mmCIF file of all heavy atoms in Angstrom:
data_model
loop_
_atom_site.group_PDB
_atom_site.id
_atom_site.type_symbol
_atom_site.label_atom_id
_atom_site.label_comp_id
_atom_site.label_asym_id
_atom_site.label_seq_id
_atom_site.Cartn_x
_atom_site.Cartn_y
_atom_site.Cartn_z
ATOM 1 N N ALA A 1 15.454 15.501 8.279
ATOM 2 C CA ALA A 1 14.798 15.394 6.978
ATOM 3 C C ALA A 1 13.308 15.691 7.122
ATOM 4 O O ALA A 1 12.733 15.534 8.204
ATOM 5 C CB ALA A 1 15.005 13.997 6.396
ATOM 6 N N PRO A 2 12.641 16.120 6.049
ATOM 7 C CA PRO A 2 11.196 16.386 6.119
ATOM 8 C C PRO A 2 10.422 15.128 6.495
ATOM 9 O O PRO A 2 10.806 14.009 6.136
ATOM 10 C CB PRO A 2 10.861 16.852 4.697
ATOM 11 C CG PRO A 2 12.156 17.324 4.124
ATOM 12 C CD PRO A 2 13.211 16.458 4.738
ATOM 13 N N ALA A 3 9.322 15.308 7.210
ATOM 14 C CA ALA A 3 8.517 14.175 7.649
ATOM 15 C C ALA A 3 7.843 13.505 6.451
ATOM 16 O O ALA A 3 7.443 14.160 5.490
ATOM 17 C CB ALA A 3 7.465 14.635 8.649
ATOM 18 N N ALA A 4 7.731 12.180 6.514
ATOM 19 C CA ALA A 4 7.049 11.413 5.468
ATOM 20 C C ALA A 4 6.187 10.347 6.142
ATOM 21 O O ALA A 4 6.569 9.779 7.162
ATOM 22 C CB ALA A 4 8.064 10.761 4.533
ATOM 23 N N HIS A 5 4.993 10.081 5.592
ATOM 24 C CA HIS A 5 4.101 9.056 6.120
ATOM 25 C C HIS A 5 4.490 7.710 5.512
ATOM 26 O O HIS A 5 4.333 7.483 4.309
ATOM 27 C CB HIS A 5 2.642 9.388 5.812
ATOM 28 C CG HIS A 5 2.073 10.427 6.726
ATOM 29 N ND1 HIS A 5 2.358 11.768 6.578
ATOM 30 C CD2 HIS A 5 1.259 10.316 7.826
ATOM 31 C CE1 HIS A 5 1.731 12.449 7.533
ATOM 32 N NE2 HIS A 5 1.060 11.599 8.295
ATOM 33 N N VAL A 6 5.022 6.835 6.352
ATOM 34 C CA VAL A 6 5.518 5.546 5.881
ATOM 35 C C VAL A 6 5.013 4.437 6.798
ATOM 36 O O VAL A 6 4.573 4.691 7.933
ATOM 37 C CB VAL A 6 7.065 5.527 5.840
ATOM 38 C CG1 VAL A 6 7.594 6.545 4.848
ATOM 39 C CG2 VAL A 6 7.652 5.791 7.226
ATOM 40 N N LEU A 7 5.067 3.209 6.298
ATOM 41 C CA LEU A 7 4.746 2.046 7.112
ATOM 42 C C LEU A 7 5.881 1.847 8.113
ATOM 43 O O LEU A 7 7.056 1.785 7.714
ATOM 44 C CB LEU A 7 4.595 0.819 6.227
ATOM 45 C CG LEU A 7 3.766 -0.347 6.767
ATOM 46 C CD1 LEU A 7 2.310 0.071 6.921
ATOM 47 C CD2 LEU A 7 3.889 -1.550 5.847
ATOM 48 N N ALA A 8 5.551 1.762 9.410
ATOM 49 C CA ALA A 8 6.614 1.715 10.416
ATOM 50 C C ALA A 8 6.210 0.810 11.567
ATOM 51 O O ALA A 8 5.022 0.591 11.834
ATOM 52 C CB ALA A 8 6.931 3.118 10.928
ATOM 53 N N VAL A 9 7.230 0.282 12.253
ATOM 54 C CA VAL A 9 7.043 -0.551 13.438
ATOM 55 C C VAL A 9 8.007 -0.067 14.512
ATOM 56 O O VAL A 9 8.996 0.609 14.209
ATOM 57 C CB VAL A 9 7.305 -2.044 13.129
ATOM 58 C CG1 VAL A 9 6.315 -2.570 12.107
ATOM 59 C CG2 VAL A 9 8.735 -2.257 12.662
ATOM 60 N N PRO A 10 7.744 -0.378 15.790
ATOM 61 C CA PRO A 10 8.699 -0.003 16.841
ATOM 62 C C PRO A 10 10.075 -0.610 16.565
ATOM 63 O O PRO A 10 10.181 -1.797 16.213
ATOM 64 C CB PRO A 10 8.078 -0.579 18.111
ATOM 65 C CG PRO A 10 6.618 -0.672 17.805
ATOM 66 C CD PRO A 10 6.535 -1.010 16.351
ATOM 67 N N THR A 11 11.106 0.192 16.717
ATOM 68 C CA THR A 11 12.461 -0.294 16.444
ATOM 69 C C THR A 11 12.817 -1.477 17.325
ATOM 70 O O THR A 11 13.490 -2.410 16.893
ATOM 71 C CB THR A 11 13.468 0.852 16.654
ATOM 72 O OG1 THR A 11 13.135 1.936 15.777
ATOM 73 C CG2 THR A 11 14.877 0.394 16.363
ATOM 74 N N GLY A 12 12.344 -1.482 18.570
ATOM 75 C CA GLY A 12 12.652 -2.570 19.486
ATOM 76 C C GLY A 12 12.029 -3.895 19.119
ATOM 77 O O GLY A 12 12.410 -4.935 19.664
ATOM 78 N N SER A 13 11.042 -3.889 18.209
ATOM 79 C CA SER A 13 10.400 -5.146 17.799
ATOM 80 C C SER A 13 11.200 -5.880 16.735
ATOM 81 O O SER A 13 10.891 -7.025 16.417
ATOM 82 C CB SER A 13 8.992 -4.858 17.262
ATOM 83 O OG SER A 13 9.070 -4.120 16.037
ATOM 84 N N ILE A 14 12.222 -5.236 16.179
ATOM 85 C CA ILE A 14 12.999 -5.825 15.092
ATOM 86 C C ILE A 14 14.200 -6.554 15.659
ATOM 87 O O ILE A 14 14.960 -6.012 16.459
ATOM 88 C CB ILE A 14 13.465 -4.739 14.097
ATOM 89 C CG1 ILE A 14 12.261 -3.971 13.546
ATOM 90 C CG2 ILE A 14 14.273 -5.355 12.963
ATOM 91 C CD1 ILE A 14 12.644 -2.785 12.696
ATOM 92 N N LEU A 15 14.362 -7.809 15.245
ATOM 93 C CA LEU A 15 15.520 -8.615 15.628
ATOM 94 C C LEU A 15 16.440 -8.723 14.428
ATOM 95 O O LEU A 15 15.998 -9.010 13.320
ATOM 96 C CB LEU A 15 15.091 -10.008 16.082
ATOM 97 C CG LEU A 15 14.014 -10.049 17.181
ATOM 98 C CD1 LEU A 15 13.627 -11.487 17.478
ATOM 99 C CD2 LEU A 15 14.514 -9.370 18.431
ATOM 100 N N SER A 16 17.719 -8.482 14.650
ATOM 101 C CA SER A 16 18.688 -8.497 13.557
ATOM 102 C C SER A 16 19.615 -9.689 13.689
ATOM 103 O O SER A 16 20.138 -9.968 14.772
ATOM 104 C CB SER A 16 19.508 -7.201 13.550
ATOM 105 O OG SER A 16 20.519 -7.269 12.571
ATOM 106 N N THR A 17 19.821 -10.399 12.581
ATOM 107 C CA THR A 17 20.778 -11.504 12.552
ATOM 108 C C THR A 17 22.122 -11.068 12.007
ATOM 109 O O THR A 17 23.045 -11.855 11.941
ATOM 110 C CB THR A 17 20.248 -12.643 11.662
ATOM 111 O OG1 THR A 17 20.259 -12.190 10.295
ATOM 112 C CG2 THR A 17 18.854 -13.048 12.057
ATOM 113 N N GLY A 18 22.216 -9.823 11.585
ATOM 114 C CA GLY A 18 23.413 -9.359 10.894
ATOM 115 C C GLY A 18 23.255 -9.491 9.397
ATOM 116 O O GLY A 18 23.868 -8.751 8.636
ATOM 117 N N LYS A 19 22.416 -10.435 8.949
ATOM 118 C CA LYS A 19 22.148 -10.634 7.529
ATOM 119 C C LYS A 19 20.735 -10.202 7.155
ATOM 120 O O LYS A 19 20.468 -9.884 6.006
ATOM 121 C CB LYS A 19 22.320 -12.114 7.165
ATOM 122 C CG LYS A 19 23.720 -12.652 7.430
ATOM 123 C CD LYS A 19 23.783 -14.142 7.098
ATOM 124 C CE LYS A 19 25.148 -14.718 7.400
ATOM 125 N NZ LYS A 19 25.218 -16.175 7.127
ATOM 126 N N ARG A 20 19.829 -10.229 8.126
ATOM 127 C CA ARG A 20 18.445 -9.905 7.832
ATOM 128 C C ARG A 20 17.779 -9.354 9.082
ATOM 129 O O ARG A 20 18.297 -9.478 10.201
ATOM 130 C CB ARG A 20 17.692 -11.141 7.342
ATOM 131 C CG ARG A 20 17.678 -12.269 8.357
ATOM 132 C CD ARG A 20 16.858 -13.450 7.897
ATOM 133 N NE ARG A 20 16.834 -14.504 8.911
ATOM 134 C CZ ARG A 20 15.953 -15.497 8.921
ATOM 135 N NH1 ARG A 20 15.038 -15.569 7.982
ATOM 136 N NH2 ARG A 20 15.981 -16.420 9.867
ATOM 137 N N ALA A 21 16.612 -8.723 8.886
ATOM 138 C CA ALA A 21 15.808 -8.199 9.976
ATOM 139 C C ALA A 21 14.543 -9.033 10.091
ATOM 140 O O ALA A 21 13.908 -9.360 9.083
ATOM 141 C CB ALA A 21 15.479 -6.733 9.748
ATOM 142 N N VAL A 22 14.151 -9.386 11.310
ATOM 143 C CA VAL A 22 13.030 -10.292 11.549
ATOM 144 C C VAL A 22 12.084 -9.670 12.567
ATOM 145 O O VAL A 22 12.524 -9.060 13.552
ATOM 146 C CB VAL A 22 13.528 -11.662 12.063
ATOM 147 C CG1 VAL A 22 12.356 -12.578 12.415
ATOM 148 C CG2 VAL A 22 14.428 -12.324 11.031
ATOM 149 N N VAL A 23 10.774 -9.820 12.334
ATOM 150 C CA VAL A 23 9.761 -9.505 13.335
ATOM 151 C C VAL A 23 8.894 -10.740 13.521
ATOM 152 O O VAL A 23 8.820 -11.610 12.649
ATOM 153 C CB VAL A 23 8.892 -8.298 12.919
ATOM 154 C CG1 VAL A 23 9.714 -7.027 12.849
ATOM 155 C CG2 VAL A 23 8.184 -8.559 11.596
ATOM 156 N N TRP A 24 8.232 -10.815 14.671
ATOM 157 C CA TRP A 24 7.340 -11.931 14.955
ATOM 158 C C TRP A 24 5.897 -11.479 14.736
ATOM 159 O O TRP A 24 5.406 -10.576 15.415
ATOM 160 C CB TRP A 24 7.539 -12.422 16.387
ATOM 161 C CG TRP A 24 8.831 -13.166 16.558
ATOM 162 C CD1 TRP A 24 10.030 -12.647 16.900
ATOM 163 C CD2 TRP A 24 9.024 -14.556 16.361
ATOM 164 N NE1 TRP A 24 10.992 -13.624 16.926
ATOM 165 C CE2 TRP A 24 10.402 -14.822 16.601
ATOM 166 C CE3 TRP A 24 8.194 -15.619 15.994
ATOM 167 C CZ2 TRP A 24 10.949 -16.094 16.499
ATOM 168 C CZ3 TRP A 24 8.739 -16.895 15.895
ATOM 169 C CH2 TRP A 24 10.099 -17.128 16.137
ATOM 170 N N VAL A 25 5.238 -12.115 13.769
ATOM 171 C CA VAL A 25 3.867 -11.762 13.385
ATOM 172 C C VAL A 25 2.894 -12.697 14.102
ATOM 173 O O VAL A 25 3.080 -13.924 14.109
ATOM 174 C CB VAL A 25 3.679 -11.863 11.860
ATOM 175 C CG1 VAL A 25 2.252 -11.501 11.476
ATOM 176 C CG2 VAL A 25 4.678 -10.964 11.146
ATOM 177 N N GLU A 26 1.852 -12.126 14.706
ATOM 178 C CA GLU A 26 0.841 -12.936 15.388
ATOM 179 C C GLU A 26 -0.084 -13.547 14.338
ATOM 180 O O GLU A 26 -0.828 -12.846 13.658
ATOM 181 C CB GLU A 26 0.047 -12.091 16.381
ATOM 182 C CG GLU A 26 -0.866 -12.924 17.261
ATOM 183 C CD GLU A 26 -1.519 -12.105 18.354
ATOM 184 O OE1 GLU A 26 -1.711 -10.883 18.124
ATOM 185 O OE2 GLU A 26 -1.852 -12.664 19.425
ATOM 186 N N THR A 27 -0.031 -14.884 14.194
ATOM 187 C CA THR A 27 -0.808 -15.587 13.176
ATOM 188 C C THR A 27 -2.067 -16.224 13.734
ATOM 189 O O THR A 27 -2.894 -16.744 12.985
ATOM 190 C CB THR A 27 0.057 -16.671 12.517
ATOM 191 O OG1 THR A 27 0.553 -17.555 13.541
ATOM 192 C CG2 THR A 27 1.230 -16.041 11.779
ATOM 193 N N GLY A 28 -2.197 -16.236 15.034
ATOM 194 C CA GLY A 28 -3.370 -16.804 15.701
ATOM 195 C C GLY A 28 -3.281 -16.472 17.176
ATOM 196 O O GLY A 28 -2.366 -15.774 17.621
ATOM 197 N N GLU A 29 -4.222 -16.990 17.937
ATOM 198 C CA GLU A 29 -4.207 -16.709 19.365
ATOM 199 C C GLU A 29 -2.965 -17.314 20.008
ATOM 200 O O GLU A 29 -2.786 -18.534 20.004
ATOM 201 C CB GLU A 29 -5.473 -17.251 20.031
ATOM 202 C CG GLU A 29 -5.584 -16.866 21.502
ATOM 203 C CD GLU A 29 -6.894 -17.312 22.117
ATOM 204 O OE1 GLU A 29 -7.692 -17.951 21.401
ATOM 205 O OE2 GLU A 29 -7.103 -17.034 23.299
ATOM 206 N N ASN A 30 -2.068 -16.447 20.501
ATOM 207 C CA ASN A 30 -0.823 -16.864 21.162
ATOM 208 C C ASN A 30 0.097 -17.645 20.236
ATOM 209 O O ASN A 30 0.950 -18.414 20.703
ATOM 210 C CB ASN A 30 -1.117 -17.687 22.424
ATOM 211 C CG ASN A 30 -1.806 -16.861 23.491
ATOM 212 O OD1 ASN A 30 -1.532 -15.665 23.620
ATOM 213 N ND2 ASN A 30 -2.710 -17.485 24.237
ATOM 214 N N ARG A 31 -0.068 -17.453 18.920
ATOM 215 C CA ARG A 31 0.829 -18.088 17.953
ATOM 216 C C ARG A 31 1.558 -16.995 17.176
ATOM 217 O O ARG A 31 0.951 -16.026 16.703
ATOM 218 C CB ARG A 31 0.069 -18.982 16.969
ATOM 219 C CG ARG A 31 -0.500 -20.233 17.599
ATOM 220 C CD ARG A 31 -0.714 -21.334 16.539
ATOM 221 N NE ARG A 31 -1.391 -20.845 15.354
ATOM 222 C CZ ARG A 31 -2.721 -20.803 15.210
ATOM 223 N NH1 ARG A 31 -3.489 -21.195 16.191
ATOM 224 N NH2 ARG A 31 -3.247 -20.360 14.088
ATOM 225 N N PHE A 32 2.881 -17.158 17.032
ATOM 226 C CA PHE A 32 3.708 -16.155 16.379
ATOM 227 C C PHE A 32 4.630 -16.820 15.364
ATOM 228 O O PHE A 32 5.194 -17.884 15.617
ATOM 229 C CB PHE A 32 4.552 -15.399 17.414
ATOM 230 C CG PHE A 32 3.740 -14.589 18.376
ATOM 231 C CD1 PHE A 32 3.248 -15.158 19.545
ATOM 232 C CD2 PHE A 32 3.446 -13.263 18.104
ATOM 233 C CE1 PHE A 32 2.486 -14.420 20.429
ATOM 234 C CE2 PHE A 32 2.692 -12.515 18.982
ATOM 235 C CZ PHE A 32 2.211 -13.103 20.149
ATOM 236 N N SER A 33 4.746 -16.167 14.215
ATOM 237 C CA SER A 33 5.577 -16.696 13.132
ATOM 238 C C SER A 33 6.617 -15.647 12.747
ATOM 239 O O SER A 33 6.298 -14.449 12.655
ATOM 240 C CB SER A 33 4.704 -17.028 11.920
ATOM 241 O OG SER A 33 5.504 -17.520 10.854
ATOM 242 N N PRO A 34 7.868 -16.057 12.505
ATOM 243 C CA PRO A 34 8.905 -15.083 12.130
ATOM 244 C C PRO A 34 8.701 -14.595 10.704
ATOM 245 O O PRO A 34 8.311 -15.359 9.821
ATOM 246 C CB PRO A 34 10.205 -15.875 12.275
ATOM 247 C CG PRO A 34 9.804 -17.291 12.040
ATOM 248 C CD PRO A 34 8.411 -17.424 12.587
#
């Protein structure tokens, strides 16, 4: 398909539960929130 500029993240950073997709966001120094 033709290239499009979109918001993207590395595929390996996404965790799948089968019902939803989750990434861990850095909210502070060494703190991560799903």
